[in-house]
Amino acid sequence: MTQDTRPTVKLSRRTLLQGSAAVAGVAAGSGAVTGFPAVWSAEPKVLRYLGTAVNQSADIAKKVKEDTGITLEYVAVTTDDVTKRVITQPNSYDIVDTEYFALKKLVPAGNLKAMNGRKIKEYGNITPVITKCELGDGTKIGDQGTAPKKVMFVDGEHSTKFSSGMTEWATLIPTVYNADTLGIRPDLIKTKVDSWAQLLNPEFKGKAAILNIPSIGIMDAAMVVEATGQYKYPDKGNMTKPEIDMTMKVLTEAKKNGQFRAFWKDFNESVNLMASGETVIQSMWSPAVTAVKSKGIPCVFQPLKEGYRSWASGFAVSKGVSGMKEDVAYEFVNWFLSGWAGAYLNRQGYYSAVLPTAKAAMEPYEWAYWMEGKPAEKDIHAPDGTLLDHAGNVRDGGSFDARMGKVACWNAIMDENDYMVRKWNEFIAA
């Protein structure tokens, strides 16, 4: 896709209403118009934002309010509950922030409107990592599992089937993505950690944890199984029933042997486990590592030789949203892609869906550290100002191309998803 370089004029409904109110005020003051109130009030721009607590930042809510007048009302639930609410309560939110792997459930339900690419200013600049599973130079990356390119496009606004190629209608407008790995406490670990197999290392008995979201946890488990040499999956993201049974058997044996301290489901829980030292190695998300570091506690998002498990998320609107509310939703999404939010998320170790706008909103030394894998020219700080890394150090995993180029698989919904979830829940309950 190529960017539309024609000049654009940004006219929001708020701007138009303000202009109309000003004209009306002048007319009323001159006596030219009678029978109308002297002051007109624009309808408040409010969006009920459904998602997990990970991306629901008070800083983002404050900034978008300042820039656009939009008020975000966060509805924070777990990853699984986002899916449930979209399917069962489509009128309980206006905009949803969800992961691409969930779309195999959400799109057939028909409760989301496809997003019109013609209304998204940066649609042509969305990273090919999302649209094609490629780096900017055309290098292919792993697409096992529910890679975004497989579920990003449909043929129309109300389509419930995925398109085989790129179209102007998107299931989600991507906002953020990453390549996930294991988090470790380097001050509490003596052994070199360079493989997913270390999650089951007896040295970490009672000090390991895995993510308790079935569609994500099963992928971490598969990375461990392959790393230990027990099995090579044709597609980790679409296991057969025997493959699911074998994978869960490995986890169950480890659980019986006392390997796991916890099975976390909440972002804050993962932070607390690692910050307290209750765990020293576990499934983690990049901003959770950032959160631990911000407390002054050593924590590393450890690169592993088998590669990364990746994910991506984005915005869609409920089928119940239309008219002015839909206009506000598109205004918010366009604001999100315009730079400030992307830079904010990049500073936590995420990656923005539109890299050029995020780059423009970052200092050159920040971009060099977070995206190019270069030693920090200055101390690196989190969005709240806390120190994350010292000048001279490099980011865990190196540059954007080095990290995303080693993606092995993506979070997934399998053909045997119901069976997998049942087996996973049995494992957790046992």
Side-chain angles (χ1 to χ4, degrees):
M1 291 181 288
T2 58
Q3 181 181 16
D4 186 348
T5 58
R6 293 174 295 177
T8 59
V9 179
K10 295 182 178 179
L11 291 177
S12 67
R13 180 176 179 274
R14 183 186 187 212
T15 304
L16 292 171
L17 284 170
Q18 288 174 335
S20 300
V23 172
V26 170
S30 66
V33 179
T34 60
F36 293 91
V39 178
W40 290 1
S41 297
E43 181 180 332
K45 298 195 292 186
V46 179
L47 288 176
R48 295 171 298 168
Y49 178 139
L50 173 65
T52 66
V54 178
N55 291 347
Q56 294 185 340
S57 161
D59 291 337
I60 288 177
K62 179 181 178 182
K63 183 61 174 174
V64 74
K65 177 73 172 181
E66 292 174 355
D67 289 353
T68 68
I70 296 172
T71 297
L72 298 180
E73 293 182 348
Y74 286 143
V75 182
V77 297
T78 66
T79 299
D80 287 342
D81 285 339
V82 170
T83 299
K84 292 174 184 176
R85 186 173 289 226
V86 169
I87 293 173
T88 63
Q89 302 177 55
N91 295 321
S92 67
Y93 64 94
D94 301 315
I95 193 165
V96 61
D97 179 353
T98 190
E99 288 197 44
Y100 277 82
F101 80 84
L103 291 173
K104 284 189 175 182
K105 285 186 174 182
L106 300 183
V107 170
N111 285 343
L112 295 177
K113 283 185 176 180
M115 301 293 287
N116 187 344
R118 293 185 178 183
K119 295 182 179 182
I120 302 299
K121 180 180 178 182
E122 300 293 342
Y123 196 65
N125 286 327
I126 292 171
T127 174
V129 166
I130 302 296
T131 60
K132 300 179 182 179
C133 256
E134 295 178 359
L135 299 180
D137 64 2
T139 301
K140 300 290 185 182
I141 64 176
D143 66 353
Q144 286 191 14
T146 309
K149 71 173 186 177
K150 300 177 182 178
V151 293
M152 180 172 174
F153 303 103
V154 290
D155 292 324
E157 184 176 22
H158 301 290
S159 176
T160 57
K161 294 183 179 180
F162 301 112
S163 174
S164 58
M166 297 169 64
T167 74
E168 67 183 40
W169 294 98
T171 52
L172 298 175
I173 296 297
T175 54
V176 69
Y177 53 102
N178 209 341
D180 283 353
T181 182
L182 297 176
I184 65 169
R185 281 285 302 270
D187 56 324
L188 302 178
I189 287 180
K190 298 178 181 179
T191 302
K192 179 181 179 181
V193 176
D194 63 356
S195 170
W196 282 89
Q198 295 286 7
L199 190 65
L200 299 188
N201 186 337
E203 181 180 334
F204 308 133
K205 182 177 179 179
K207 291 284 187 176
I210 196 168
L211 178 59
N212 183 19
I213 298 174
S215 297
I216 306 175
I218 192 72
M219 302 302 288
D220 283 359
M223 295 294 285
V224 171
V225 168
E226 285 197 340
T228 55
Q230 298 180 67
Y231 183 71
K232 180 72 173 177
Y233 301 87
D235 184 350
K236 289 182 285 293
N238 198 22
M239 299 181 193
T240 63
K241 286 183 177 179
E243 288 172 335
I244 293 169
D245 290 342
M246 178 272 300
T247 305
M248 299 315 303
K249 181 180 179 181
V250 172
L251 286 185
T252 300
E253 289 177 354
K255 182 181 180 182
K256 288 180 179 179
N257 290 334
Q259 184 70 13
F260 299 113
R261 167 64 182 84
F263 306 96
W264 65 266
K265 203 167 188 176
D266 175 77
F267 169 84
N268 293 320
E269 184 182 5
S270 73
V271 172
N272 293 335
L273 285 167
M274 192 63 87
S276 68
E278 291 183 61
T279 61
V280 299
I281 185 169
Q282 67 175 29
S283 304
M284 277 192 99
W285 294 332
S286 182
V289 173
T290 301
V292 175
K293 284 183 170 182
S294 70
K295 299 176 185 292
I297 299 169
C299 189
V300 173
F301 208 40
Q302 186 66 27
L304 304 171
K305 61 187 178 183
E306 296 88 9
Y308 296 87
R309 171 189 49 75
S310 197
W311 59 270
S313 63
F315 291 130
V317 297
S318 168
K319 70 175 184 180
V321 172
S322 61
M324 293 188 303
K325 182 73 76 173
E326 187 171 15
D327 292 341
V328 172
Y330 274 96
E331 183 182 1
F332 169 62
V333 174
N334 276 308
W335 174 86
F336 203 97
L337 298 180
S338 67
W340 189 93
Y344 179 89
L345 294 170
N346 278 6
R347 293 185 184 106
Q348 298 178 65
Y350 281 133
Y351 294 127
S352 169
V354 180
L355 296 176
T357 58
K359 182 178 183 179
M362 298 177 75
E363 295 294 331
Y365 78 91
E366 292 180 304
W367 183 264
Y369 173 84
W370 287 113
M371 302 299 296
E372 296 174 350
K374 296 179 179 179
E377 294 180 7
K378 304 178 183 179
D379 286 348
I380 300 297
H381 295 88
D384 65 0
T386 56
L387 180 67
L388 292 181
D389 212 347
H390 293 283
N393 291 341
V394 296
R395 174 185 180 162
D396 300 337
S399 69
F400 173 83
D401 284 352
R403 295 180 80 249
M404 293 308 300
K406 288 197 67 177
V407 166
C409 60
W410 297 77
N411 294 349
I413 292 289
M414 306 178 183
D415 292 343
E416 298 290 351
N417 185 69
D418 290 345
Y419 182 80
M420 183 277 291
V421 171
R422 177 160 58 86
K423 289 296 182 179
W424 182 274
N425 289 337
E426 289 173 357
F427 154 71
I428 294 296

